[in-house]
Amino acid sequence: MKIDHATVDKLADLAKLEFDKEGKEAIVKDLNRILTFIDKLNELDTTNVEPLIYMSDEVNILREDEVKHDITQDEALKNSPKHDSDYFKMPKVIDK
Amino acid sequence: MSYSSLTQIQTDIASGKLSVKQLVEGYLGRIDQNKNLNVFLEVFAQEALQKAIEVDNKLKSGKAGKLAGMVIGLKDNLCYKDHKVSASSKILEGFTSLYSATVVERLLKEDAIIIGRCNCDEFAMGSSNENSAFGNVLNPLDHTRVPGGSSGGAAAAVAADLCLATLGTDTGGSIRQPASLCGVVGLKPTYGRVSRYGAVAYASSFDQIGPITKNIEDAALIMEVMSGMDEYDSTLSTKPVPVYSKELRQDVSKIKVAYLKDCLEKDGLDPEIKKRTTEIIDKLKKAGHSVEPVEFPFLDYLVPVYYVLTTAEASSNLARYQGLNYGYRSKNATDMDSTFRKSRSEGFGKEVQRRIMLGTFVLSAGYYDAYYSKGQKVRRFLQNKTQEILNTCDFILLPATPGTAFKFGENTADPIKMYLEDIFTVQANITGMPAISLPMGKHSNGLPFGLQLIGRKFEESKMFAFSNYLLNKF
């Protein structure tokens, strides 16, 4: 697998990042270098190996589904870069 | 004034030689004198002094908790209510925690004093602390060298005696590698032993919070206070938490050790570190322990599988930073989409963006099976192989790091070179097993290095006892 500029554009779009020309050159180079490095994994035969998804050996740790309010509305808004007394403020989404 | 254990501090307090207030003043003085190390991003001076007076009063009335006299620093990715936390990232600059991490609450309840937050690699991604948005941390033992990372500030704080202990997080070696490079003790607990609630997430199936200390006893004490079930983290084990500090002197004479021949033969391992490891193997044999060489011809797969899986998890975990609800918002944004893009691109550092991009790639349609699923299978394979070794012995003994502290900039040009710093530490995170770095080596260049034990899941108690024995006798 070789990563080209088009792939980086697509990935940046998915990841909501943007790169200038120089940054893009660097990321293409770095990703290709890292991919060569991780392609090593293909040497290992993993037929019949189940993927390891959960690290815990225990099953179904459950709790009561109770409604709790750990933080207030004021607290939730406090760290927002832009807000009024009730809402987070964002640029317009639909321009009409 | 310099204290190397909580017991020592508590003895001096009990005999009237020391008050907690004096102790905190001492640390604050040292922090001030060592500002050039750039260890603390923020010092909670007034608050720590206030709390010290409270603890002094509690001690007088006999109502103090078991960590009275313990002064702790937090890696800057652990939440402490009404205090700032930034994960050393510009994207969280100015962010104030709305709640405390479970570990922080538990330590405070036992009267530990939190003195400040320690510099780290941005979002815990790095092995040298050079990825912090707030500057490099200097290794207190040699100012031209890195302290390691990502918990670089936390390890340097203990090494420079700026507090008695710190909490770090370890996703691929981020507690043990800087502990090795700074000459202190660093533990990564078993996955599922310590609540991750309130730790800024990097790769959730790898991350664990653990202590960095000057000795085993303090690590054991911190662990018995902060481990165990928490309703906010459902990945925790229901296994009871031993009173680790009371089990330190258990019989270790029958303990069996294995070492990985492949590790000692690894290119890039410093010859003096190899020599010291071999020397300890010989001494253990002489002391009557079974120490067997084992084959583990899979070292070259460890770091690659780590990067596939952790970057995938990171790309999901870090999707929450978008400039909307909290954190940095770009002034150059004009609409919703550019708010996300520009805030993230201006807010995240280079290494974080690199890992988000790689994670996005391995999770993307068409590559998911080839990379992400493959990675999960390799993870199972490596866990099985490691477990097979631990079925025949109690611990695997290996170096913590391939070398001693390196110079600033030495590994920054090539990400792979930096990633290989973690070659000996990632195995424990991939497999979920506990591991500890012990300051048992001194290089002819004057710098320390750590030796590492990997143990069976949830056998921290035995690990502490054996570590204590190693540190005292070898």
Side-chain angles (χ1 to χ4, degrees), chain B residues 279-313:
Chain B
E279 189 182 293
I280 288 171
I281 290 169
D282 292 340
K283 283 188 178 175
L284 278 169
K285 282 183 191 159
K286 277 194 194 115
H289 293 276
S290 143
V291 189
E292 296 295 332
V294 290
E295 307 271 347
F296 189 77
F298 310 112
L299 286 179
D300 290 340
Y301 303 104
L302 293 170
V303 180
V305 77
Y306 171 80
Y307 276 92
V308 170
L309 297 176
T310 56
T311 57
E313 294 187 26

Side-chain angles (χ1 to χ4, degrees), chain B residues 4-38:
Chain B
S4 56
S5 72
L6 183 62
T7 306
Q8 216 183 23
I9 289 170
Q10 289 180 338
T11 308
D12 274 9
I13 290 173
S15 69
K17 259 199 250 169
L18 176 75
S19 71
V20 183
K21 182 165 173 272
Q22 287 168 328
L23 178 75
V24 169
E25 283 167 348
Y27 284 128
L28 290 172
R30 289 188 56 82
I31 290 172
D32 205 44
Q33 286 158 17
N34 288 283
K35 268 189 177 154
N36 62 322
L37 299 178
N38 200 26

Side-chain angles (χ1 to χ4, degrees), chain B residues 109-414:
Chain B
K109 222 173 137 203
E110 289 296 336
D111 288 324
I113 292 173
I114 293 173
I115 199 159
R117 53 190 176 97
C118 299
N119 205 340
C120 59
D121 280 301
E122 184 178 4
F123 285 101
M125 298 178 185
S127 309
S128 66
N129 222 113
E130 290 166 296
N131 296 334
S132 167
F134 306 110
N136 290 342
V137 173
L138 312 187
N139 189 316
L141 308 167
D142 179 346
H143 295 185
T144 66
R145 292 171 191 273
V146 304
S150 66
S151 314
V158 177
D161 198 24
L162 309 184
C163 49
L164 185 67
T166 51
L167 294 188
T169 59
D170 191 315
T171 306
S174 282
I175 288 175
R176 290 159 289 150
Q177 186 259 10
S180 172
L181 270 43
C182 290
V184 292
V185 173
L187 170 78
K188 183 207 83 86
T190 309
Y191 187 85
R193 183 75 295 185
V194 178
S195 170
R196 289 176 294 110
Y197 180 71
V200 178
Y202 158 20
S204 307
S205 78
F206 291 74
D207 299 341
Q208 272 291 286
I209 299 169
I212 298 174
T213 57
K214 295 183 178 181
N215 61 67
I216 299 300
E217 199 181 336
D218 289 346
L221 263 170
I222 291 172
M223 278 298 288
E224 73 193 39
V225 169
M226 71 179 185
S227 300
M229 299 272 286
D230 173 19
E231 63 172 321
Y232 294 111
D233 180 354
S234 59
T235 61
L236 288 172
S237 167
T238 52
K239 286 192 174 62
V241 178
V243 185
Y244 297 116
S245 63
K246 300 269 183 268
E247 297 186 6
L248 287 178
R249 272 152 204 90
Q250 61 180 276
D251 179 26
V252 296
S253 61
K254 303 272 186 304
I255 280 185
K256 289 183 181 174
V257 178
Y259 65 94
L260 311 178
K261 279 193 295 188
D262 312 82
C263 261
L264 294 179
E265 303 308 324
K266 188 76 196 148
D267 283 346
L269 174 63
D270 186 295
E272 289 191 35
I273 298 183
K274 178 179 172 174
K275 190 169 155 257
R276 176 69 175 140
T277 311
T278 319
E279 189 182 293
I280 288 171
I281 290 169
D282 292 340
K283 283 188 178 175
L284 278 169
K285 282 183 191 159
K286 277 194 194 115
H289 293 276
S290 143
V291 189
E292 296 295 332
V294 290
E295 307 271 347
F296 189 77
F298 310 112
L299 286 179
D300 290 340
Y301 303 104
L302 293 170
V303 180
V305 77
Y306 171 80
Y307 276 92
V308 170
L309 297 176
T310 56
T311 57
E313 294 187 26
S315 77
S316 305
N317 272 328
L318 272 61
R320 72 189 71 174
Y321 305 100
Q322 20 72 323
L324 204 172
N325 311 94
Y326 53 84
Y328 172 80
R329 182 185 293 186
S330 171
K331 303 251 178 321
N332 305 316
T334 50
D335 57 9
M336 181 93 133
D337 195 58
S338 65
T339 299
F340 293 163
R341 275 175 206 283
K342 292 196 185 298
S343 303
R344 287 167 64 78
S345 299
E346 293 164 19
F348 288 135
K350 208 169 150 190
E351 180 61 26
V352 174
Q353 295 193 36
R354 188 149 56 201
R355 295 198 196 187
I356 291 174
M357 288 290 280
L358 180 65
T360 305
F361 173 75
V362 301
L363 289 175
S364 64
Y367 303 107
Y368 184 96
D369 284 336
Y371 290 96
Y372 186 65
S373 294
K374 177 76 185 178
Q376 290 181 313
K377 288 178 188 173
V378 174
R379 189 178 195 183
R380 165 92 62 194
F381 177 87
L382 294 168
Q383 192 188 50
N384 290 345
K385 291 290 172 195
T386 307
Q387 188 57 52
E388 279 168 27
I389 297 174
L390 287 167
N391 288 341
T392 65
C393 67
D394 300 284
F395 297 108
I396 302 171
L397 175 74
L398 71 170
T401 48
T404 52
F406 46 92
K407 298 250 184 196
F408 291 101
E410 200 176 313
N411 286 344
T412 39
D414 180 357

